Amino acid sequence: VNGAEVLVRALEAEGVTQLYGIPGTTIMDFLDALAGQDRIRYLSVRHEQGAAFMADGFSRAGGGVGVCVGSRGPGLTNMATAIANANDESVPLLALVGQVADGVADRDAFEELNITAMFAHVTKWCVEVRSADRIPELVQRALRTARSGRPGPVVVSVPLDVLTAEVPDDTPTQPIVRVAPPRPDADAVTRIAEILAASSRPVIIVGGGLGSDASGTAASGTAASGSDASGTAATGSGRAGVAALAARYAAPAVTTWARKDRFPNDDPHFVGVLGAGALEVTDRAVREADVILALGCRFSEFTTKRYTLLDPSTRLLHVDIDPAELGKIYPPEVAVHADATATVADLLARDEPPPNEARTRRLKELAADHDEQSKLPVDTGDETAMTTARLIGGLGAVLARRPATLIVDAPSTGVWVSRYLRFAPPATRYRASAGGAMAWGFPAALGTALARPDERVICLSGDGSFVMVAAEIETAVRENIPVVTVVANNFAYGNTRDRQRFSHGERYFGVFYDNLDLAAYARLHGAHGERVEHPAELEPAIERALDSGLPAIVDVIQDRFEGLPPGARPIPPR
Ligand SMILES: Cc1ncc(C[n+]2csc(CCOP(=O)(O)OP(=O)(O)O)c2C)c(N)n1
Ligand SMILES: [Mg+2]
């Protein structure tokens, strides 16, 4: 057999079930090998960026490690944004690319790129396979690297002559190796418990390290996985575990920007989502805390309002699976290099502290303020205007009737979702991008639907973001992926328009444009299309889109100044 066949076998041995890609000279033998089997599904897409964001969505939805495929140079550079975004956001991903044949390498051959040099900085690992008999070893290591520890993207480059090289048919695949996530040191757990018990204004910050769908630990059967599949109250892991921990210390809990559904939103300890446009009460809970327990969060610029959120006098207890994150932004008093879910479980295994009145009183005050502030503002103005308040209200009403995963791209409407919609997994789930790359949403929604074919997926996108990847509607129709995409269509790069509103004297430049009729565009492809111009049309249109069973676009026509909720501002540029 040839290297391409061995590559297919190696992927299959690792449990890969789907690939998304675009062909090119260097990977034609790989496609040939895929064509001769039916264990791995190959979906041809319309842009490599789409393939990589789809793989990202597949990973986040718990489908395993998402894999995207491209031919050398330009095929891979088209994936670069998605790879860098996955690196920012700890998403496991494998980008599999061809490379010029070794026989002509280093001559600036056609579309040749120094792949390992270029991608070293935005991947967890980037490797070029030098001989076909090492394909099983390196593919296995790549996938293990992607999913272990702090997950992230890997690039595997396979030169053409490695794919065509002959190897014995009995070239073995390697047995799967999974790395158990590190458990916390017992002394550190004791210190955390003691400091929390002595605190008067604690807060728990829940980040992506807790109960991650993408951790890959569920597949290994090891303890301490908090994925949607295994995060049950019975085991005290994941979402239920951290809610129990919050209850034990009467501690309010907040989540980082993209992780809203990592804490039960209907729990009385939940006081909101950090990040741009966070509610006043959410920021206050953190700013005024005497003790912060940070579980698997990296204190991103976004979450910390440009590193201004924490008071230097606050005692920080920081748990993270990546030791590089401990002390990187804020120096912790207790730094725990461990899996966050395992740490929660170990904390819960200790004796209950006595109740504390001061903490309970503060929690009640914050919870009451959160209840008040997280009520969707009611529009009293022109009832025919398709305002964002009405858009979010309608979307929330549909989600309450028709449970789905909501995928939110980078639109200004994201702030509304993070403030005002509540998610109760597993019925309703929420996925957002924190790296900020526009265009993530629609393809990530396709990947989510591919990972969870029995569940519904709704994508909320801005028009600017959606149009960047709109070509993938053809992929969705051809491959029968019934994602409903609601486009908040304000004919503007709204988020950047608001920077001009607040920081550039309302001098609007380069932020407005025209869009074609996106509902008609959908129908031209054989998808379902709805154009919504009046608030009363919104909910029935989304319902019809869901009922159609087709990929669908609901094009919601708005005023070009629609965007952020009242009082919210982009983080100032300086
Ligand atoms: C790939 C990429 N380019 C540019 C930006 C900067 N940016 C952030 S949001 C935004 C505008 C988004 O417009 P749209 O998707 O229509 O959403 P809206 O804010 O209008 O709701 C821009 C240009 C980005 N985040 N990612
Ligand atoms: Mg817009």
Side-chain angles (χ1 to χ4, degrees), residues 410-412 436-438 462-465 490 492-496 513:
S412 312
M438 290 170 72
D463 52 329
S465 302
N490 55 8
Y493 294 124
N495 181 293
T496 19
Y513 45 71

Side-chain angles (χ1 to χ4, degrees), residues 47-68:
H47 191 295
E48 288 89 350
Q49 175 174 234
F53 279 142
M54 282 168 70
D56 169 312
F58 184 83
S59 294
R60 290 189 208 231
V65 177
V67 186
C68 46

Side-chain angles (χ1 to χ4, degrees), residues 468-487:
M468 282 183 174
V469 276
E472 301 302 347
I473 192 77
E474 191 280 321
T475 307
V477 171
R478 178 170 30 84
E479 294 287 354
N480 192 20
I481 315 170
V483 163
V484 172
T485 300
V486 176
V487 181

Side-chain angles (χ1 to χ4, degrees), residues 12-272:
E12 196 190 343
E14 269 287 323
V16 172
T17 55
Q18 357 192 311
L19 307 172
Y20 319 127
I22 290 194
T25 315
T26 57
I27 54 165
M28 301 319 289
D29 294 274
F30 178 53
L31 291 191
D32 217 21
L34 284 170
Q37 55 84 56
D38 57 8
R39 280 124 20 224
I40 298 180
R41 179 179 174 192
Y42 177 80
L43 290 85
S44 178
V45 305
R46 307 309 301 268
H47 191 295
E48 288 89 350
Q49 175 174 234
F53 279 142
M54 282 168 70
D56 169 312
F58 184 83
S59 294
R60 290 189 208 231
V65 177
V67 186
C68 46
V69 179
S71 187
R72 52 186 157 184
L76 180 58
T77 51
N78 269 354
M79 297 177 186
T81 305
I83 291 171
N85 194 65
N87 199 45
D88 280 349
E89 301 197 27
S90 315
V91 179
L93 190 81
L94 168 61
L96 205 54
V97 285
Q99 173 62 301
V100 302
D102 276 340
V104 299
D106 301 317
R107 288 178 175 173
D108 298 328
F110 181 63
E111 294 178 349
E112 184 178 359
L113 184 77
N114 186 336
I115 289 173
T116 48
M118 182 166 174
F119 281 82
H121 185 63
V122 289
T123 52
K124 247 186 114 175
W125 193 45
C126 184
V127 64
E128 205 149 77
V129 181
R130 291 270 147 252
S131 70
D133 58 358
R134 293 192 63 195
I135 289 173
E137 169 203 339
L138 295 171
V139 165
Q140 202 220 57
R141 182 166 152 200
L143 285 158
R144 183 167 65 248
T145 302
R147 73 201 316 165
S148 59
R150 176 181 175 182
V154 292
V155 171
V156 174
S157 155
V158 194
L160 176 57
D161 47 1
V162 173
L163 287 172
T164 55
E166 282 195 18
V167 282
D169 195 5
D170 58 0
T171 298
T173 55
Q174 295 213 347
I176 292 179
V177 176
R178 291 283 179 269
V179 183
R183 290 203 84 92
D185 173 77
D187 289 345
V189 173
T190 303
R191 282 186 70 201
I192 292 177
E194 286 171 358
I195 293 171
L196 282 174
S199 68
S200 52
R201 299 179 312 281
V203 70
I204 298 176
I205 302 182
V206 177
L210 192 110
S212 167
D213 283 348
S215 66
T217 50
S220 68
T222 54
S225 167
S227 74
D228 281 352
S230 64
T232 63
T235 58
S237 65
R239 206 177 284 113
V242 72
L245 189 69
R248 177 173 286 203
Y249 294 98
V254 303
T255 74
T256 56
W257 174 256
R259 314 297 186 175
K260 182 167 186 176
D261 80 351
R262 295 290 162 86
F263 194 90
N265 290 181
D266 47 3
D267 186 287
H269 298 82
F270 177 65
V271 297

